[in-house]
Amino acid sequence: MRDFSTDHRWLSLNTATVRKQGDLAQIIDACARHGIRAIDPWRDQVAAIGLDRAARAVRDAGLELSGYCRGGMFTADAAHRIEARDDNRRAVDEASTLGAPCIVLVVGGLPQYSRPGSVASKDIVAARVQVEDAIAEMLEYAREARIALAIEPLHPAYAADRACVNTTRQALDICDRLDPQRSGALGVALDVYHIWWDPELLPQIWRADRDRLLAFHVCDWLVPTKDLLNDRGMMGDGVIDIRSVRRAVEAQGFGGYSEIEIFSNDWWGRPIDEVLQTCIERHRSVV
């Protein structure tokens, strides 16, 4: 396992971590000040300053991208499916302009939550079928742009409104059916916040192997958690054995960034330099 204790070369900042402290251009400037060499920006942050300006800011700062957030939210009724398809194609185009290696897919839950205005449904089985069909369609478009797709399994508490793919096994089953050749075009983004509890996690990481491990996200699970979405912990403040998960993914050949992604009302209320310095310190001592 790589030694992170002396530098933060392999730290990437998911820009949601400091989304309340400034726009994307300001976040990029702050990363440059702290010697952070990679980011994973969100589409709304890119849109807020403009795609061309965002791409230029990334280049001028000499940053790499560890991914692009997010594609997905595939589930929709018939009237909204073209909207979902076109939105995901735009995500591919944006990722290509920015130079991102992959798009992180949060696949969507029931259609009324994934695409507001869709006819309500309780059929999660149908939602999962629709997700797989939509990923298959998106995959063809993404291959042409040479952008990989990284399915992110989310904690089961999000199954209704955010993602009906909830385990690493489910995500890898989709990968195996749609990309049996393991071309590198389809894999998983593993976020410890969503997967740490899974008794099958380690064998599924072994199953994924290097070809499927496209992104690795870190934060921590607080006890008690006050808000399931916006009360993630800074690494080391919660109960996740982050290093053991990183050891497992690196044992399969993953050599990419440990991407810090913290949705937190607490950390959003602190100065950006304090947050980034804490991220660096915990990356070295905990991750």
Side-chain angles (χ1 to χ4, degrees):
M1 188 169 74
R2 292 171 293 176
D3 181 5
F4 289 168
S5 65
T6 58
D7 62 49
H8 54 285
R9 168 68 181 89
W10 294 107
L11 184 161
S12 175
L13 181 77
N14 185 293
T15 56
T17 304
V18 286
R19 68 159 52 251
K20 300 292 181 68
Q21 287 91 334
D23 66 19
L24 183 59
Q26 293 168 317
I27 292 170
I28 288 171
D29 287 344
C31 286
R33 286 199 305 274
H34 288 269
I36 292 173
R37 301 176 62 177
I39 62 171
D40 182 349
W42 279 67
R43 294 183 67 198
D44 64 312
Q45 294 173 302
V46 169
I49 68 168
L51 178 59
D52 290 341
R53 183 185 174 199
R56 185 168 60 252
V58 168
R59 289 195 302 269
D60 290 349
L63 294 178
E64 299 177 15
L65 268 64
S66 55
Y68 189 41
C69 285
R70 66 188 182 194
M73 294 296 170
F74 297 109
T75 49
D77 64 10
H80 292 81
R81 285 175 192 168
I82 292 176
E83 169 194 317
R85 182 202 66 188
D86 291 348
D87 183 49
N88 279 293
R89 288 183 175 183
R90 285 192 295 273
V92 172
D93 297 340
E94 294 162 15
S96 180
T97 298
L98 291 166
C102 67
I103 297 174
V104 177
L105 300 181
V106 175
V107 299
L110 299 174
Q112 62 269 34
Y113 302 111
S114 299
R115 296 286 164 177
S118 291
V119 175
S121 170
K122 295 183 179 181
D123 192 343
I124 196 168
V125 174
R128 287 174 172 144
V129 171
Q130 190 179 141
V131 161
E132 187 164 336
D133 289 345
I135 292 175
E137 183 178 37
M138 185 179 180
L139 184 59
E140 295 307 309
Y141 191 82
R143 282 185 196 274
E144 294 180 4
R146 298 184 179 179
I147 302 293
L149 303 181
I151 303 169
E152 182 176 12
L154 264 57
H155 190 281
Y158 293 105
D161 61 342
R162 292 183 180 271
C164 56
V165 172
N166 307 111
T167 65
T168 306
R169 175 190 284 274
Q170 283 178 287
L172 291 173
D173 285 348
I174 294 172
C175 292
D176 286 351
R177 288 191 291 267
L178 299 184
D179 182 40
Q181 298 82 14
R182 290 180 167 260
S183 68
L186 184 63
V188 294
L190 298 184
D191 185 327
V192 297
Y193 187 76
H194 295 296
I195 62 173
W196 70 275
W197 58 273
D198 186 352
E200 288 195 320
L201 178 59
L202 295 183
Q204 291 303 316
I205 289 174
W206 179 86
R207 170 191 173 190
D209 209 355
R210 182 176 183 176
D211 299 330
R212 299 281 196 226
L213 296 170
L214 300 183
F216 179 61
H217 297 183
V218 297
C219 61
D220 218 330
W221 185 284
L222 301 178
V223 178
T225 294
K226 299 174 184 176
D227 184 301
L228 189 62
L229 181 61
N230 294 326
D231 191 33
R232 298 189 188 193
M234 181 65 68
M235 298 80 67
D237 288 349
V239 299
I240 302 176
D241 185 355
I242 299 169
R243 191 162 289 179
S244 71
V245 184
R246 180 165 74 87
R247 181 180 295 112
V249 298
E250 291 194 4
Q252 299 310 311
F254 179 79
Y257 289 97
S258 287
E259 179 181 316
I260 297 172
E261 183 183 42
I262 303 174
F263 296 0
S264 168
N265 291 319
D266 176 16
W267 288 98
W268 284 331
R270 304 192 192 195
I272 191 168
D273 290 308
E274 176 188 344
V275 177
L276 296 188
Q277 187 57 44
T278 305
C279 286
I280 291 168
E281 292 168 359
R282 298 298 179 85
H283 174 82
R284 292 181 176 183
S285 62
V286 177
V287 175

